[in-house]
């Protein structure tokens, strides 16, 4: 099956700094990618849809100025958490659809803000 | 709007016994249904999907799921559970009619614990 990678797999940053997470589709092109957030023992919450060549679409309640998304190419989307705070600590997962019917998920990035 | 319900937070089963993880859904059009498994601190792994065709879908690691349109259910099953099946399981749905921009809606997850 198709492979989606994320980098880094875990990151620790200080409060007030920004951190960038990359999501890559390794063997297919994705005009759309999705970013999810997952709190411990909870479900995945869709944060935004990353669109290659246009602005990301954010879900209700997600601050677009805090979670910056850039879909730089057909194989790369980045999520930048700006001015991070401890409450932003979470597990962030991206996914990319390969065609119209199936999504492939990255391994996730564990963000800890101290 | 589409939604998924997983009524059980946790399911406990003895190794070798059959297991069932329940899922019900709601969509406007035809449902595209998925099951994923997640191990601690890992991303989601695809288990199986239903798009169309036979109501009984077979997937990875011996899992299967049965699509029941009248009950709007898509329960995950395995005839004989293994300790290594212990993980967090997510049911997800996509509205096939609207396309939904490929958006998946996930259930809240069910923690499966298989004991010796």
């Amino acid at each position: 099956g198709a492979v989606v990678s994320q980098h880094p797999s875990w990151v620790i940053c200080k409060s007030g700094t920004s951190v960038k997470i990359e999501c890559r589709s390794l063997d297919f092109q994705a005009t759309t990618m999705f970013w999810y957030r997952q709190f411990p023992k909870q479900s995945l919450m869709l944060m935004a849809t990353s669109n290659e060549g246009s602005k990301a679409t954010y879900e209700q309640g997600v601050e677009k100025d805090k979670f910056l998304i850039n879909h730089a190419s057909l194989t790369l989307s980045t999520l930048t958490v700006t001015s991070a705070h401890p409450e932003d600590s979470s597990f962030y997962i991206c996914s990319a659809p390969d065609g119209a019917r199936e999504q492939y998920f990255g391994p996730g990035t564990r963000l800890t803000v101290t | 709007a589409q939604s998924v319900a997983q009524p059980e937070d946790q399911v406990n089963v003895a190794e070798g016994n059959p297991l069932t993880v329940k899922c019900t859904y709601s969509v406007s059009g035809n449902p595209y249904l998925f099951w994923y498994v997640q191990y601690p601190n890992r991303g989601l792994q695809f288990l199986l999907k239903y798009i169309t065709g036979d109501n009984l879908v077979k997937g990875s690691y011996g899992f299967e799921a049965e699509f029941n349109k009248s009950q709007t259910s898509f329960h995950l099953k395995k005839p004989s559970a293994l300790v290594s099946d212990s993980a967090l399981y997510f049911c997800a749905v996509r509205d096939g009619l609207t396309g939904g921009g490929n958006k998946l809606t996930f259930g809240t997850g069910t923690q499966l614990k298989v004991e010796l």
Side-chain angles (χ1 to χ4, degrees):
Chain A
V3 178
V4 174
S5 70
Q6 279 184 246
H7 178 79
S9 56
W10 59 271
V11 58
I12 300 174
C13 71
K14 292 185 177 180
S15 187
T17 63
S18 296
V19 61
K20 181 185 287 187
I21 303 170
E22 294 184 349
C23 177
R24 292 181 186 272
S25 56
L26 297 185
D27 48 4
F28 67 101
Q29 293 181 332
T31 56
T32 302
M33 292 184 177
F34 298 94
W35 286 97
Y36 296 87
R37 184 174 181 178
Q38 185 182 30
F39 292 101
K41 298 185 179 181
Q42 292 190 28
S43 188
L44 279 72
M45 181 191 79
L46 179 64
M47 298 174 66
T49 303
S50 174
N51 303 300
E52 191 272 337
S54 64
K55 292 181 179 180
T57 305
Y58 291 82
E59 297 299 304
Q60 191 172 10
V62 178
E63 298 177 63
K64 62 180 180 180
D65 294 330
K66 181 169 185 61
F67 299 100
L68 300 179
I69 291 173
N70 181 30
H71 202 127
S73 72
L74 288 171
T75 59
L76 173 64
S77 174
T78 59
L79 168 68
T80 301
V81 183
T82 63
S83 186
H85 289 107
E87 55 264 33
D88 298 325
S89 299
S90 191
F91 195 53
Y92 292 87
I93 302 175
C94 71
S95 72
D98 178 14
R101 295 183 173 182
E102 191 163 335
Q103 285 193 34
Y104 296 91
F105 287 81
T109 297
R110 172 74 60 193
L111 170 64
T112 301
V113 184
T114 61
Chain B
Q2 56 197 41
S3 65
V4 177
Q6 291 181 243
E8 302 154 318
D9 290 337
Q10 181 161 322
V11 169
N12 297 320
V13 64
E15 188 174 53
N17 283 359
L19 69 87
T20 299
V21 182
K22 296 179 180 177
C23 171
T24 58
Y25 66 90
S26 174
V27 293
S28 300
N30 294 322
Y32 291 0
L33 294 156
F34 304 83
W35 275 103
Y36 292 89
V37 60
Q38 185 181 33
Y39 294 95
N41 296 309
R42 303 288 295 274
L44 273 66
Q45 295 179 32
F46 171 79
L47 280 180
L48 51 80
K49 66 182 177 184
Y50 171 82
I51 303 297
T52 185
D54 290 340
N55 289 341
L56 184 63
V57 178
K58 294 188 181 297
S60 306
Y61 313 118
F63 284 93
E64 59 188 30
E66 185 165 12
F67 170 63
N68 187 316
K69 188 174 182 178
S70 63
Q71 297 185 5
T72 62
S73 67
F74 190 57
H75 301 330
L76 181 70
K77 299 182 180 184
K78 186 173 182 180
S80 178
L82 299 172
V83 173
S84 57
D85 292 330
S86 298
L88 186 58
Y89 290 80
F90 289 102
C91 181
V93 68
R94 219 192 93 206
D95 189 334
L97 178 65
T98 65
N102 283 310
K103 280 187 184 179
L104 285 176
T105 298
F106 286 87
T108 50
T110 298
Q111 184 70 47
L112 173 66
K113 188 173 182 181
V114 182
E115 298 170 312
L116 291 170

